[in-house]
């Protein structure tokens, strides 16, 4: 890390600014995770307790800090607040700081940060509802392609090919699974999530992401079977593993590719 980051900002100020912005966006992600699967507006009504419906005051809506001050309970009815809220906010901060440390205040850093936030939202909606809303993935595909326009519009081709390769691969799996295994093997949300990752990462890095996601998902499935927490053939959400692969490829995919090809 140099004395100043891109744009001439002092490092302490840059790190603090990114952490604050990431925490606020993490709080917004929680709204999206709660409301998008149900088709609800993410703008209205304002944040409120799901049990007593009391609107959350501004000083009780400070990311991470309010959860700690309130000890994980609603100020009004004392109902417990899900641990998902601080976890999502903390993950957003971690992704933001990793992007800053890896890429500085740059276009690549912003691209990876935005992708990471979208993948966090997709992961937790899949965990809670077994759905990945189109409201996350379809705009995400468009954003990924927009990011590919800089520094050269030719990058758009890489994003388009990445979206087609990743989405097409998962579509093929979804099409073949009922014919080969007699049951659905891949949901539409996973197909669109893979396409979104391809749009952001390009075709080479998205293949690294898929490989990592398949390996971690397979390992987790084996461990759950051994621990008797899952039965053979029982549903296991793949979206979170695919998202994990996407984050890994975004930050470390290029060195992995260089090592593999070298």
């Amino acid at each position: 890390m140099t004395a100043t980051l891109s744009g001439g900002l002092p490092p302490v100020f840059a790190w603090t600014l990114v952490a604050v912005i990431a925490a606020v966006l993490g709080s917004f992600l929680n709204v999206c995770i709660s409301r998008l699967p149900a088709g609800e507006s993410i703008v209205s009504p304002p944040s409120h307790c799901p049990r007593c419906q009391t609107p959350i005051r501004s000083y009780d809506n400070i990311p991470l800090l309010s959860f700690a001050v309130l000890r994980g309970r609603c100020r009004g009815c004392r109902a417990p607040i899900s641990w998902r809220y601080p976890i999502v906010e903390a993950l957003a901060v971690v992704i933001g700081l990793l992007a800053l440390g890896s890429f500085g205040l740059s276009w690549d850093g912003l691209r990876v940060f935005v992708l990471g936030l979208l993948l966090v939202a997709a992961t937790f909606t899949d965990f809670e509802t077994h759905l990945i809303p189109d409201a996350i993935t379809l705009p995400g595909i468009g954003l990924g392609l927009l990011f590919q326009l800089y520094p050269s519009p030719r990058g758009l081709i890489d994003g388009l090919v990445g979206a087609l390769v990743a989405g097409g691969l998962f579509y093929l799996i979804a099409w073949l699974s009922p014919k080969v295994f007699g049951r659905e093997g891949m949901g539409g949300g996973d197909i669109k999530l893979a396409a979104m990752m391809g749009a952001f990462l390009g075709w080479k890095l998205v293949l690294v992401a898929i490989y990592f996601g398949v390996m971690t998902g397979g390992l987790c499935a084996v461990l759950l079977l051994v621990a008797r927490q899952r039965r053979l053939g029982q549903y296991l959400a793949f979206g979170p593993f695919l998202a994990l692969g996407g984050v890994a490829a975004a930050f470390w995919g290029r060195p992995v590719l260089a090592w593999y090809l070298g």
Side-chain angles (χ1 to χ4, degrees):
M1 180 68 67
T2 56
T4 58
L5 296 165
S6 300
L9 290 175
V12 173
F13 180 79
W15 286 94
T16 303
L17 179 63
V18 168
V20 170
I21 292 174
V24 171
L25 291 175
S27 181
F28 176 68
L29 286 186
N30 275 314
V31 176
C32 296
I33 293 166
S34 297
R35 300 187 184 188
L36 287 180
E40 298 175 356
S41 169
I42 58 175
V43 178
S44 179
S47 297
H48 56 276
C49 172
R51 179 175 173 181
C52 67
Q53 304 300 312
T54 301
I56 298 175
R57 301 173 179 89
S58 57
Y59 53 80
D60 284 339
N61 206 19
I62 302 172
L64 294 172
L65 183 60
S66 292
F67 185 87
V69 171
L70 294 172
R71 298 183 180 180
R73 292 187 176 275
C74 170
R75 186 184 291 276
C77 66
R78 307 306 297 165
I81 301 171
S82 170
W83 273 92
R84 185 250 292 165
Y85 288 87
I87 290 173
V88 167
E89 291 162 0
L91 284 174
V93 172
V94 169
I95 290 170
L97 295 180
L98 274 174
L100 179 62
S102 301
F103 303 101
L105 293 175
S106 66
W107 187 253
D108 275 344
L110 180 61
R111 175 177 58 85
V112 170
F113 179 50
V114 171
L115 173 61
L117 294 180
L118 291 171
L119 292 177
V120 168
T123 293
F124 281 88
T125 54
D126 201 4
F127 269 140
E128 294 186 1
T129 66
H130 294 168
L131 294 172
I132 301 176
D134 289 348
I136 294 174
T137 53
L138 296 184
I141 293 171
L143 276 174
L145 294 176
L146 284 175
F147 272 107
Q148 295 287 7
L149 290 173
Y150 181 85
S152 168
R154 287 179 297 180
L156 182 62
I157 297 174
D158 191 28
L160 284 170
V161 174
L164 290 172
V165 167
L169 176 62
F170 279 74
Y171 181 83
L172 180 63
I173 294 172
W175 181 75
L176 285 174
S177 291
K179 296 173 173 55
V180 177
F181 303 107
R183 61 187 180 87
E184 184 182 86
M186 195 64 62
D190 294 324
I191 297 170
K192 295 164 193 170
L193 179 63
M196 183 188 81
M197 288 166 46
F200 271 92
L201 297 172
W203 72 272
K204 291 181 181 178
L205 287 182
V206 81
L207 291 178
V208 175
I210 291 171
Y211 175 79
F212 190 82
V214 169
M215 294 300 292
T216 53
L219 177 61
C220 183
V222 170
L223 292 175
L224 288 173
L225 286 172
V226 171
R228 297 185 179 179
Q229 298 299 308
R230 282 288 192 280
R231 297 187 303 274
L232 193 63
Q234 189 175 356
Y235 176 82
L236 179 66
F238 182 63
F241 300 106
L242 187 59
L244 180 61
V247 171
F251 284 107
W252 305 290
R254 294 191 187 281
V256 169
L257 273 179
W259 167 80
Y260 178 77
L261 297 175

